[in-house]
Amino acid sequence: MQDTNELLNFTIPQLLRWRVRETGNKVALREKDFGYWVNYTWNDYYRRVREVALGLEKVGVKKGDKVALIGDNIPELLFMAIGAQSLGAISAGIYQTTLPDEIAQLINYMDVTAVFCDDQEQVDKLVEIRDQIPQVHKVIYEDPRGMRDYRSDDWYIFIEDLYEMGAAAQAENPERLDALIDQGRPDDVCHFCLTSGTTGLSKGSMITHKNYINMGIQISKVDKLEDTDEYLSFLPFAWIGEQMNSFGVAMATGITINFPESVETSMEDLKEIGPHFMFGAPRIYETIRSQIWLKIDESYWLNRLLYGKFIKVGEQAARYRMSGEPMPASLRFMTWLGKIMVMDPLINQIGLRRLRRAYTGGAALGPELFTFYQAIGVNLKQIYGQTEIVGIAYMHRDGDVRPDTVGIPLPETECKISEEGEILSRSPSVCAGYYKMDDKSEELLEGGWLHSGDAGYLDENGHLVVIDRVADVLSL
């Protein structure tokens, strides 16, 4: 398939099935477990999704039902989500740090009938609120440790038992999953992504298959991704940024998603993977910079001396690199020398040597941090968007990185500024609104544009500059 826009004709399960047909033996997912990396090919991925889908059907999940997912990032989250979507059900991520009473509110708001948890800690939260969520008829768990006392209660089911049920159903009717997947349409809502807003209970953004897949396509048009590229999944799955990569980018481009052994080991696991691109909040990059400084402080005097010299060279080069202007030959030579002698070995120790691009968003990032990363050879760029547009609407381009802006619109994204100064966007990735909140959905999508609630303007170069929340600006 030559035209990536043709992928917009697929649902996520249909696109997964297509990837199996094209590159079934290629590694799609990789998980570190007990110190070893375990590979899942696209064939393995699809087999697990098939077993989950048919197993969920056996336990009563049907089209239109909602399946909540609570847990750290593991392949099973994707098996469960896409398995549910294969039935025409809707998946929904809940942050693993959410307290029991709030989980009850969210489950009732979203009409959830089945919940997946990764371990006993999350299951125990549901035990605490069981009488508040009577519509939940099944709790699926992945880690059996500590779950012995629950095995006699059919409210719970071990995921391995769900796999067996699905495999048996597949043996009985080999055509069943294809028939279910074929019923899906790109504009069907497939996932609820919770967005906190400013007050009250989180709102469920109704995101379609097309929303996610379009985002994966458009990002790759700006920054080309290959199916051999690696990505480390360490952002919370309930956050739109992780779903954007897991559902959208991975399915549209065929990259490999790597799952760290735990949240605590993610930065160490990053060194082993050496990803080709990464997303992170500003604090992630601040933490990594601190690690780099610590390594320099602990290094030999000669290394410190060379770093001090070449970081200044890198800062000069960064200004040319960020602006796209031709670099003087002498500076280009010194930059190359510093890369070979200092910068490559340094960032290799952090796991960033293969990194072609790094993205940050969600908060302002100071110019000095941009310059630092560009100086050491990490192509850090700003993004801007919101949950309701699948995470990204604006992005810096290579050679056009301006720290005081958030870049220009992605392909197929339009931007305009309202009379009140509000940033409005239009894109195939804009969600269908908020679940069971028609009035707020109308406000969000008034006039056919996505209302961000942020104030900003477009500068003379077409870059978007974000100022503050509209309400805060108007109150000044």
Side-chain angles (χ1 to χ4, degrees), residues 41-181:
T41 64
W42 287 102
N43 285 324
D44 298 328
Y45 193 171
Y46 188 64
R47 173 173 56 84
R48 285 305 194 200
V49 166
R50 179 178 63 220
E51 290 169 351
V52 166
L54 298 179
L56 287 175
E57 188 177 42
K58 285 293 185 183
V59 299
V61 176
K62 58 186 183 302
K63 183 176 182 177
D65 283 353
K66 320 306 187 296
V67 178
L69 314 167
I70 313 174
D72 292 337
N73 294 17
I74 53 177
E76 287 77 8
L77 281 176
L78 294 181
F79 302 158
M80 291 298 306
I82 302 178
Q85 294 166 13
S86 299
L87 298 176
I90 298 170
S91 53
I94 297 177
Y95 286 95
Q96 60 268 45
T97 55
T98 307
L99 297 176
D101 285 343
E102 187 178 355
I103 289 176
Q105 290 179 308
L106 292 171
I107 284 175
N108 288 324
Y109 156 56
M110 295 187 291
D111 301 316
V112 169
T113 59
V115 183
F116 170 78
C117 298
D118 64 342
D119 58 19
Q120 183 190 7
E121 179 184 358
Q122 302 301 336
V123 171
D124 283 348
K125 294 178 183 179
L126 298 179
V127 173
E128 184 177 333
I129 58 172
R130 185 170 181 174
D131 61 339
Q132 301 176 48
I133 50 173
Q135 78 278 15
V136 172
H137 64 262
K138 196 64 68 177
V139 174
I140 303 117
Y141 61 91
E142 187 271 336
D143 188 343
R145 289 176 294 183
M147 296 296 298
R148 181 180 300 174
D149 293 341
Y150 298 148
R151 294 300 294 267
S152 60
D153 187 335
D154 64 4
W155 198 53
Y156 313 96
I157 181 170
F158 183 29
I159 195 168
E160 293 290 341
D161 295 334
L162 190 72
Y163 292 155
E164 290 183 9
M165 293 172 63
Q170 166 70 11
E172 292 175 8
N173 186 354
E175 309 300 324
R176 179 59 178 164
L177 184 67
D178 280 330
L180 289 167
I181 289 178

Side-chain angles (χ1 to χ4, degrees), residues 140-416:
I140 303 117
Y141 61 91
E142 187 271 336
D143 188 343
R145 289 176 294 183
M147 296 296 298
R148 181 180 300 174
D149 293 341
Y150 298 148
R151 294 300 294 267
S152 60
D153 187 335
D154 64 4
W155 198 53
Y156 313 96
I157 181 170
F158 183 29
I159 195 168
E160 293 290 341
D161 295 334
L162 190 72
Y163 292 155
E164 290 183 9
M165 293 172 63
Q170 166 70 11
E172 292 175 8
N173 186 354
E175 309 300 324
R176 179 59 178 164
L177 184 67
D178 280 330
L180 289 167
I181 289 178
D182 288 342
Q183 293 176 16
R185 297 292 178 267
D187 290 322
D188 291 344
V189 173
C190 66
H191 189 85
F192 290 162
C193 185
L194 296 170
T195 176
S196 59
T198 54
T199 59
L201 187 68
S202 299
K203 302 182 289 291
S205 299
M206 299 186 292
I207 304 183
T208 69
H209 300 277
K210 184 178 180 179
N211 293 156
Y212 284 117
I213 295 170
N214 177 73
M215 182 55 63
I217 291 170
Q218 306 310 332
I219 288 174
S220 192
K221 283 182 181 178
V222 175
D223 289 337
K224 180 67 175 175
L225 293 169
E226 306 292 342
D227 65 4
T228 52
D229 285 348
E230 305 277 350
Y231 169 74
L232 184 69
S233 172
F234 66 92
L235 302 169
F237 178 76
W239 183 54
I240 189 62
E242 190 58 44
Q243 296 161 29
M244 172 187 72
N245 290 310
S246 299
F247 290 150
V249 174
M251 290 297 168
T253 65
I255 62 166
T256 299
I257 301 178
N258 297 272
F259 295 89
E261 188 152 15
S262 67
V263 174
E264 292 74 22
T265 67
S266 58
M267 289 298 101
E268 288 299 314
D269 296 336
L270 182 143
K271 298 176 186 179
E272 297 181 23
I273 291 301
H276 295 89
F277 75 102
M278 66 181 288
F279 284 79
R283 61 178 176 80
I284 297 292
Y285 296 103
E286 290 167 357
T287 299
I288 293 174
R289 180 176 63 173
S290 296
Q291 292 176 358
I292 291 173
W293 283 346
L294 182 61
K295 288 184 179 296
I296 293 298
D297 288 341
E298 294 175 343
S299 186
Y300 296 112
W301 68 269
L302 180 59
N303 289 341
R304 294 198 299 271
L305 182 66
L306 290 172
Y307 173 80
K309 176 178 178 58
F310 284 112
I311 191 66
K312 292 177 182 177
V313 171
E315 288 171 353
Q316 295 177 40
R319 297 185 182 95
Y320 286 94
R321 193 178 295 118
M322 292 164 71
S323 66
E325 297 176 12
M327 197 181 302
S330 59
L331 180 59
R332 189 163 60 248
F333 172 75
M334 290 300 291
T335 302
W336 171 82
L337 190 62
K339 173 181 169 67
I340 298 300
M341 295 182 65
V342 179
M343 299 309 175
D344 271 3
L346 179 62
I347 63 177
N348 188 50
Q349 292 182 48
I350 304 296
L352 305 183
R353 191 168 183 270
R354 295 202 299 176
L355 200 67
R356 292 199 302 273
R357 297 173 186 89
Y359 307 93
T360 185
L365 194 67
E368 74 285 349
L369 199 56
F370 269 111
T371 303
F372 169 79
Y373 275 99
Q374 293 282 346
I376 65 173
V378 174
N379 187 14
L380 179 62
K381 304 194 290 185
Q382 184 83 38
I383 61 172
Y384 170 79
Q386 60 195 99
T387 299
E388 296 86 349
I389 199 170
V390 191
I392 297 180
Y394 306 83
M395 179 192 293
H396 283 147
R397 271 39 171 195
D398 289 350
D400 192 17
V401 178
R402 303 169 187 265
D404 57 337
T405 79
V406 295
I408 63 177
L410 286 180
E412 307 298 327
T413 297
E414 301 173 67
C415 173
K416 75 173 183 177

